Amino acid sequence: MELRKYLEIIKIFIKTQLAWRGDAVIQTLFTLTKILFACLLWGTIFKDRDEVAGFTINSMLSYYIISSFLRQLDMSSRVSGEISQRIRNGTFSKYMVLPVNIQGYFIAMEMGIVLFYLFLDFMTSVLWIIVFRIRLVFVSDPAALLEAAVLILLGLFFMIQLNYYLGLLTLKYEEIGTFLMIKDNLVAFVTGSIIPLALLPEGFVTVMKAFPFYYVTYLPSMLLIGRLKGELGMGLLVLSCWCVILQAVIHVTWHNYRIKYDGVGI
């Protein structure tokens, strides 16, 4: 019975995305801009060389297409923004009276949005491959695809947890908008969405392997172009540990800060 409630929430948010078609257009244009920039930048760099940090021009552009696809699927920043706004204007109470777990509600919301954009982002990526005539480098082994899919799902779950936690901080700090903006830009960098982490100093990459962001976008993208296959086990372990730790932090934060919410906007 509880599961049915969350399924209904997922359906509602799929339908909600259909009502906001402008967002879908912006998403498509944003992906186009990123891939176009990558084509121009790396086309110039590879003009005088055949390989950079183990990447060929085709594997580099394939990485950008896959990482852009995964980055676009992560809509969890909406969770922190929604929670922060609701707390600030005094309407967060609507979630506190729902007959479902609040965090579960936002996870279901994210799932509905992701399912809507999954097909759209996939078709957009295929379109850009055709338009830019990119010879896509992609693994064909079903086992490798399944392993990467598990890592992607775990990474999406972690990002939902992170943004849910950051949204809850509004219960104490009231204004976290600037912090969220900085967070979005930092996450784009440390997940390898801007440039592949392989191009950064080795010491930095080694340190990043202890944090979950390395495994959210960068490692799945590398796995899907046939690289770093030996890091899957470590990725699953590190991400799982961080998910458990963050869930404990969420529990403590909600228990301590919920009493500060008075249902009044600021």
Side-chain angles (χ1 to χ4, degrees):
M1 192 67 180
E2 192 74 15
L3 179 61
R4 187 178 299 174
K5 295 177 183 177
Y6 293 113
L7 290 175
E8 287 301 318
I9 295 171
I10 292 173
K11 291 178 183 177
I12 289 171
F13 277 96
I14 290 176
K15 294 177 181 177
T16 300
Q17 304 316 302
L18 292 172
W20 297 95
R21 298 182 182 88
D23 287 352
V25 174
I26 292 174
Q27 282 279 103
T28 303
L29 292 176
F30 180 79
T31 305
L32 168 63
T33 302
K34 183 175 180 180
I35 296 175
L36 178 60
F37 174 77
C39 287
L40 293 174
L41 173 64
W42 293 107
T44 302
I45 293 175
F46 278 98
K47 187 175 182 179
D48 300 320
R49 63 189 74 183
D50 297 324
E51 190 174 289
V52 175
F55 288 91
T56 63
I57 180 65
N58 289 315
S59 61
M60 179 65 78
L61 295 180
S62 298
Y63 171 86
Y64 268 91
I65 288 173
I66 295 170
S67 63
S68 295
F69 172 76
L70 297 180
R71 179 66 176 163
Q72 293 302 99
L73 282 184
D74 177 22
M75 301 287 181
S76 58
S77 59
R78 297 189 181 191
V79 172
S80 54
E82 171 75 6
I83 294 175
S84 178
Q85 181 184 13
R86 292 288 184 177
I87 291 174
R88 283 175 53 79
N89 63 26
T91 57
F92 186 72
S93 305
K94 64 171 285 187
Y95 300 117
M96 302 177 76
V97 298
L98 291 173
V100 292
N101 176 271
I102 298 177
Q103 185 180 359
Y105 173 89
F106 282 103
I107 291 175
M109 179 187 83
E110 173 75 358
M111 288 179 63
I113 297 174
V114 167
L115 287 174
F116 174 82
Y117 280 102
L118 180 62
F119 177 75
L120 179 64
D121 289 340
F122 176 77
M123 293 306 298
T124 301
S125 298
V126 171
L127 175 62
W128 301 150
I129 291 172
I130 296 172
V131 170
F132 296 115
R133 299 180 180 179
I134 298 170
R135 286 185 289 174
L136 185 68
V137 177
F138 197 79
V139 294
S140 56
D141 181 14
L145 291 173
L146 179 61
E147 292 167 352
V150 172
L151 194 62
I152 290 168
L153 290 175
L154 195 56
L156 288 174
F157 178 67
F158 169 78
M159 291 305 297
I160 296 173
Q161 284 183 303
L162 176 64
N163 280 288
Y164 179 74
Y165 166 70
L166 295 176
L168 292 181
L169 293 181
T170 312
L171 290 167
K172 180 174 182 178
Y173 299 106
E174 297 184 351
E175 173 51 55
I176 63 169
T178 302
F179 173 74
L180 291 178
M181 181 180 65
I182 295 172
K183 178 267 302 180
D184 287 339
N185 287 284
L186 281 176
V187 167
F189 176 72
V190 298
T191 56
S193 297
I194 297 177
I195 59 171
L197 297 183
L199 301 180
L200 300 177
E202 185 177 346
F204 176 82
V205 177
T206 300
V207 172
M208 287 306 302
K209 290 182 180 180
F211 295 93
F213 305 103
Y214 178 90
Y215 308 98
V216 171
T217 301
Y218 176 68
L219 183 57
S221 299
M222 294 294 277
L223 290 172
L224 290 173
I225 63 172
R227 299 183 60 179
L228 303 182
K229 297 178 182 178
E231 295 188 15
L232 174 67
M234 180 59 71
L236 293 174
L237 176 62
V238 172
L239 261 180
S240 298
C241 289
W242 275 99
C243 285
V244 172
I245 293 170
L246 190 51
Q247 190 60 44
V249 173
I250 288 172
H251 177 77
V252 173
T253 301
W254 173 248
H255 179 75
N256 291 334
Y257 290 172
R258 65 179 178 176
I259 59 177
K260 297 179 180 296
Y261 178 70
D262 55 12
V264 178
I266 58 175

